[in-house]
Amino acid sequence: MPPSARLTLDPAFRIGPVDPRLFGSFVEHMGRCVHTGVFEPGHPLADADGFRTDVLELTRELGVTVVRYPGGNFVSNYRWEDGVGPVHERPARLDLAWRSLEGNRFGLNEFMAWAAKAGVESMMALNLGTRGVAEALELVEYANHPGGTALSELRRSHGVDKPHDVRLWCLGNELDGPWQMGHKTAAEYGRLAAETARALKRFDPGLSLVACGSSNSGMPTFGSWEAEVLEATYEMVDYISLHAYYDPTDGDTDSFLASGADMDHMIRSIAATADHVGAKLRSKKKIMLSFDEWNVWYQSRFGGESSLGWTEHPRLIEDTYDVTDAVVVGSLLITLLRNADRVGVACQAQLANVIAPIRTEPGGPAWRQTIFHPFALTARHARGQVLRVEPECALIPTARYGDVPAIWATATHDEATGETTLLAVNRDRNAPCDLEVALPGGMRAVEHLELADDDPSAANSAEAPGRVVPRPGSGARVEGRRASLRLSPSSWNIVRFALASPQE
Ligand code: AHR
């Protein structure tokens, strides 16, 4: 008999609404994310603006809602002015973050035009590395002020009559990291972020601002950085950021499959840190979390910035993802949804080519990596309220995170349609799991899809773009208020239930 597990789906037990901003992505001027990723004038499928229509279509299919831009490490040495105005007058610059050449043929206005075509909200990052309050204010005036001032008229003279009205702004990127241009101490950054936030809120109190949290949970100042930064900025910012990348260090796949446990712990730690600061400051305000960089990234394969030369859009960290990576990505999305009461924004890093669900060849095709599928299905079907789901199941010992539940799950319930969607990962690589689901009465199973494969290292490629796709799972057998189904070993699953018609 395979291991078994039980869980209950009860629409009365809610965590909070699914914020569409949880399905965000990230476009950085890095490698081939912009150039030959989303933007490739001259490509047979490029539109009049030079945007790849195949990538635009895949972006819409992915279900991305918000896209962070223009970095990342790139932003900390970026002059936004270089990327606006007549293209032939734009300067080429050194991108010190990725030791690349930036020709600036794509900038703010191109990004905003692309975002409109993709149907996504934009989330802009400000350079608080090598620049400060003045340049941040200038960018926001250029982007958001209707007209009648030097910078808003400059935008209009660039052919953009209406303001972009960007609502979501990141106050810099990873400034705790010594690799960052303009790296700062928490005290230095906290002060700069506070003064920038104060000025931006004077410009428009309705802007949502994200203060930089730690670059990752392994940073020596993890936790204390957030506390110090929030003490300086608490009443002026809306979010604190989190970043995390996972890979199977030393081939430890069991720990890798448990990455969601680490992400969950990070979220709880930073939420507690924010609440601690709020309590100290006697504030009624709740700071939300912006998990604005997360993904699987095989960092050990990257030779580091110093290994790079001064070339334009080199092939940089173009990780090819396999089935196990897709299961982990699915489990990270489950983790974000499980924390929907606290995480208000999340961006998978990145969108195209650079550790991305979408891969392209210059002049050639675009295709879906394995990790595309759990993202697209979750973004499409996780609607309404997130339900509290606590599976009763076996524990799996892991070297990195201790004992973790074999089944990692969440569910959503959409009152408007009556649909309930269960998302579940079986972390057990060696055995399937028979899952029993307690349901409200009158439900029927609509569909059970899984991402699993006899070869967990299978991947998609330009030659075989459909090698790994979601496949039908065991199906859920519903009898009265119980559904039973089988989860394959090391699998990500989506199971959809709907109200049965009176005849069923
Ligand atoms: O997404 C790649 C890089 O990872 C980003 O530029 C940086 O913010 C992070 O360290």
Side-chain angles (χ1 to χ4, degrees):
M1 287 276 282
S4 61
R6 277 192 299 278
L7 59 83
T8 300
L9 302 184
D10 187 336
F13 292 102
R14 298 167 169 196
I15 290 176
V18 180
D19 193 321
R21 283 176 168 172
L22 290 183
F23 305 115
S25 189
F26 177 32
V27 167
E28 176 167 5
H29 284 254
M30 173 178 180
R32 298 195 307 115
C33 187
V34 172
H35 299 279
T36 71
V38 301
F39 180 65
E40 191 178 343
H43 186 279
L45 295 176
D47 66 11
D49 290 323
F51 305 145
R52 284 186 64 149
T53 54
D54 50 354
V55 175
L56 272 171
E57 270 165 36
L58 286 173
T59 303
R60 289 187 214 104
E61 182 186 324
L62 189 59
V64 167
T65 51
V66 57
V67 176
R68 184 167 172 253
Y69 174 84
N73 296 346
F74 171 81
V75 80
S76 294
N77 186 47
Y78 180 52
R79 292 167 41 86
W80 65 268
E81 305 89 329
D82 293 343
V84 297
V87 174
H88 65 274
E89 289 175 12
R90 297 186 194 173
R93 299 271 184 203
L94 297 177
D95 161 20
L96 295 171
W98 304 111
R99 286 178 59 88
S100 305
L101 293 182
E102 176 54 57
N104 283 305
R105 289 183 293 282
F106 185 100
L108 171 69
N109 295 324
E110 286 79 16
F111 174 72
M112 295 304 301
W114 176 87
K117 288 185 180 177
V120 301
E121 183 186 1
S122 56
M123 178 183 192
M124 294 293 302
L126 296 161
N127 175 358
L128 291 191
T130 58
R131 312 187 97 188
V133 185
E135 295 89 347
L137 271 174
E138 284 164 11
L139 170 53
V140 175
E141 181 187 325
Y142 179 92
N144 281 11
H145 197 63
T149 65
L151 288 165
S152 54
E153 289 302 323
L154 181 65
R155 182 199 69 239
R156 296 184 69 206
S157 76
H158 292 159
V160 184
D161 189 39
K162 297 264 178 313
H164 294 305
D165 197 26
V166 178
R167 307 314 299 161
L168 199 48
W169 294 85
C170 301
L171 301 168
N173 177 72
E174 294 191 351
L175 286 152
D176 61 327
W179 57 86
Q180 206 71 217
M181 297 305 117
H183 160 233
K184 293 176 174 48
T185 65
E188 289 164 346
Y189 172 69
R191 177 108 175 85
L192 178 57
E195 292 312 320
T196 309
R198 201 189 313 280
L200 295 185
K201 292 270 181 170
R202 175 71 64 88
F203 170 78
D204 179 352
L207 298 180
S208 291
L209 304 181
V210 185
C212 284
S214 300
S215 302
N216 58 69
S217 61
M219 296 300 288
T221 50
F222 178 70
S224 64
W225 169 277
E226 284 80 357
E228 200 169 341
V229 166
L230 284 175
E231 286 205 21
T233 58
Y234 203 86
E235 293 302 336
M236 284 160 302
V237 302
D238 305 279
Y239 299 88
I240 182 90
S241 73
L242 293 85
H243 291 179
Y245 293 101
Y246 296 97
D247 70 318
T249 321
D250 303 328
D252 179 359
T253 308
D254 284 337
S255 295
F256 182 45
L257 282 165
S259 300
D262 182 69
M263 184 190 236
D264 195 59
H265 185 253
M266 264 182 92
I267 291 170
R268 286 165 196 270
S269 306
I270 298 308
T273 304
D275 291 347
H276 164 77
V277 176
K280 265 176 81 177
L281 299 176
R282 310 277 189 277
S283 176
K284 298 259 182 297
K285 182 175 177 178
K286 180 164 145 187
I287 297 285
M288 296 293 282
L289 310 189
S290 173
F291 218 121
D292 45 43
E293 286 189 33
W294 67 268
N295 207 352
V296 170
W297 174 4
Y298 285 72
Q299 299 210 38
S300 47
R301 295 180 192 160
F302 176 48
E305 295 81 357
S306 52
S307 66
L308 307 171
W310 298 110
T311 55
E312 271 198 290
H313 35 88
R315 286 183 188 265
L316 259 186
I317 62 169
E318 297 192 2
D319 287 0
T320 294
Y321 293 115
D322 66 16
V323 177
T324 306
D325 300 326
V327 173
V328 171
V329 162
S331 76
L332 297 174
L333 285 160
I334 288 173
T335 310
L336 293 167
L337 286 165
R338 286 176 64 89
N339 290 285
D341 55 339
R342 212 54 211 248
V343 183
V345 179
C347 303
Q348 188 183 37
Q350 299 187 6
L351 180 69
N353 292 323
V354 176
I355 46 171
I358 300 171
R359 280 280 289 277
T360 69
E361 273 303 314
W367 66 98
R368 301 166 190 82
Q369 293 233 61
T370 59
I371 62 169
F372 184 100
H373 298 293
F375 192 113
L377 284 166
T378 305
R380 191 173 318 145
H381 296 295
R383 292 285 156 90
Q385 293 284 332
V386 182
L387 305 185
R388 190 165 296 286
V389 175
E390 298 303 344
E392 288 172 56
C393 59
L395 294 176
I396 296 189
T398 70
R400 266 192 272 168
Y401 310 122
D403 290 347
V404 299
I407 306 301
W408 190 234
T410 190
T412 59
H413 175 68
D414 188 350
E415 260 175 24
T417 61
E419 275 214 11
T420 298
T421 300
L422 170 66
L423 299 155
V425 159
N426 179 11
R427 288 165 164 157
D428 191 332
R429 289 190 290 138
N430 304 310
C433 176
D434 284 336
L435 180 65
E436 193 175 292
V437 181
L439 290 168
M443 304 289 284
R444 67 184 168 86
V446 177
E447 187 177 46
H448 171 196
L449 294 174
E450 67 174 14
L451 243 151
D453 205 284
D454 292 342
D455 175 9
S457 65
N460 295 337
S461 60
E463 296 72 35
R467 165 64 185 84
V468 180
V469 289
R471 66 187 192 188
S474 68
R477 200 158 31 86
V478 180
E479 283 174 30
R481 290 171 175 263
R482 292 259 172 281
S484 35
L485 61 144
R486 178 164 284 193
L487 308 180
S488 298
S490 182
S491 64
W492 174 86
N493 298 262
I494 181 164
V495 191
R496 290 166 51 223
F497 298 97
L499 293 173
S501 60
Q503 299 88 315
E504 285 177 280

